[in-house]
Amino acid sequence: MTEALDRLAARAEIVKLARVLGVSEQHLEFLQDVPAADIRTLRDQATETLHSAHQPVLRKLVSASGIIPVPVLVTLAQKAFGPLLSARLAGLLDGDRGVAIALKLPAPFLADVAAELDPRRAGHIISALPPDTVAAVSRELRRREDWITLGRFVGGVPAEIAEAGLAELNERQVLEVAFVVDDKSSLSALVERQPAERCAAYAHAADEYDLWHALFDLLAHLDDDLRERLVAAGVGEDPDLSARARERAAELGVESLLT
């Protein structure tokens, strides 16, 4: 099963690498047999190259911004800098100042910035945002069906921030996001805190929207006891759904996840 799970992981990495490079996933299908860790390394290198460009100039801009009032910076961000430059600058800003600016920006613009942001560089700002701001941005990203941006933030922020974002999503959308989360070690804690009826709905969402690959990938990253409970709640009492789940698991080579 390890090989099957590796292929699922590679599939997720290809989706994310395509986003970074600005190409379609089909252009990168030749990477399907490459280890997921290697694709992740390539993606990290590409991200680092993009975000490290023009650092001296960006640091001068941040230094100069220290004497500019926050309301003026909010206007500059939207009218002059735009989402891309604002995202690059966010990683260099002091946390308190970054949060003060973010709180005055509209959710659609923050969503634009989030799509360009490297969460590893701006975690000090993201982690300090209030839940209602996170929820508003999550709703906007949900409207755009930008699962990749949502996924990049779920694994790299405190649990309460991640939960505020996931609370805005239905079960299908949670599966879409979970599949492209970078750090999946946090998924068990997040799923365990979900209501039991919601956990049961994941299998129905996977069946309705052909997201079995995302559900199986999620199951693979849960603690054993939690995985067994989720499987039992999702397919244990529905013979037809159970049969379809086992058929798809066999196709993907992950049958043992359902035992």
Side-chain angles (χ1 to χ4, degrees):
M1 188 180 70
T2 300
E3 182 179 350
L5 292 176
D6 286 345
R7 288 185 65 81
L8 285 179
R11 180 174 175 178
E13 285 299 331
I14 287 171
V15 170
K16 292 182 281 188
L17 178 60
R19 170 68 170 271
V20 172
L21 299 180
V23 301
S24 70
E25 297 167 30
Q26 289 70 27
H27 279 86
L28 301 178
E29 284 183 349
F30 66 91
L31 295 173
Q32 183 60 63
D33 293 325
V34 175
D38 292 342
I39 303 174
R40 170 69 180 269
T41 297
L42 175 59
R43 177 167 62 89
D44 285 344
Q45 290 173 342
T47 300
E48 183 66 25
T49 298
L50 291 171
H51 283 264
S52 297
H54 312 299
Q55 283 290 300
V57 175
L58 294 178
R59 292 187 183 280
K60 288 180 180 179
L61 279 173
V62 169
S63 179
S65 73
I67 61 173
I68 301 176
V70 167
V72 176
L73 287 174
V74 169
T75 300
L76 285 173
Q78 297 176 85
K79 303 297 184 181
F81 297 157
L84 178 59
L85 182 53
S86 294
R88 300 294 188 268
L89 293 172
L92 302 173
L93 284 172
D94 170 80
D96 290 342
R97 194 161 179 79
V99 170
I101 295 170
L103 291 180
K104 293 185 177 297
L105 288 166
F109 186 81
L110 285 176
D112 291 339
V113 173
E116 303 288 352
L117 196 63
D118 181 354
R120 297 170 300 179
R121 297 172 180 268
H124 60 300
I125 296 175
I126 300 166
S127 299
L129 291 175
D132 57 342
T133 299
V134 175
V137 175
S138 295
R139 287 192 295 271
E140 178 61 25
L141 291 170
R142 178 192 66 193
R143 185 187 67 78
R144 303 178 187 186
E145 298 191 346
D146 188 350
W147 316 128
I148 293 177
T149 296
L150 282 164
R152 285 193 291 120
F153 289 91
V154 167
V157 298
E160 60 272 17
I161 298 294
E163 287 179 350
L166 292 177
E168 301 300 321
L169 309 179
N170 62 31
E171 288 76 21
R172 173 184 73 86
Q173 294 160 349
V174 169
L175 288 177
E176 298 269 20
V177 170
F179 186 60
V180 292
V181 165
D182 274 344
D183 180 6
K184 297 189 179 184
S185 64
S186 63
L187 290 178
S188 272
L190 290 172
V191 172
E192 191 166 25
R193 295 167 70 153
Q194 299 288 306
E197 60 273 14
R198 185 169 203 192
C199 291
Y202 288 135
H204 291 278
D207 187 42
E208 181 177 356
Y209 296 100
D210 192 22
L211 287 170
W212 288 110
H213 64 282
L215 178 61
F216 296 142
D217 181 74
L218 173 62
L219 291 175
H221 289 89
L222 300 181
D223 297 337
D224 291 344
D225 290 345
L226 179 58
R227 179 170 62 250
E228 291 173 7
R229 295 208 312 268
L230 194 147
V231 170
V235 302
E237 299 181 1
D238 186 332
D240 291 337
L241 181 61
S242 179
R244 289 193 295 275
R246 295 184 187 285
E247 179 181 353
R248 291 306 308 276
E251 291 174 3
L252 294 169
V254 294
E255 303 97 314
S256 62
L257 288 174
L258 298 180
T259 59

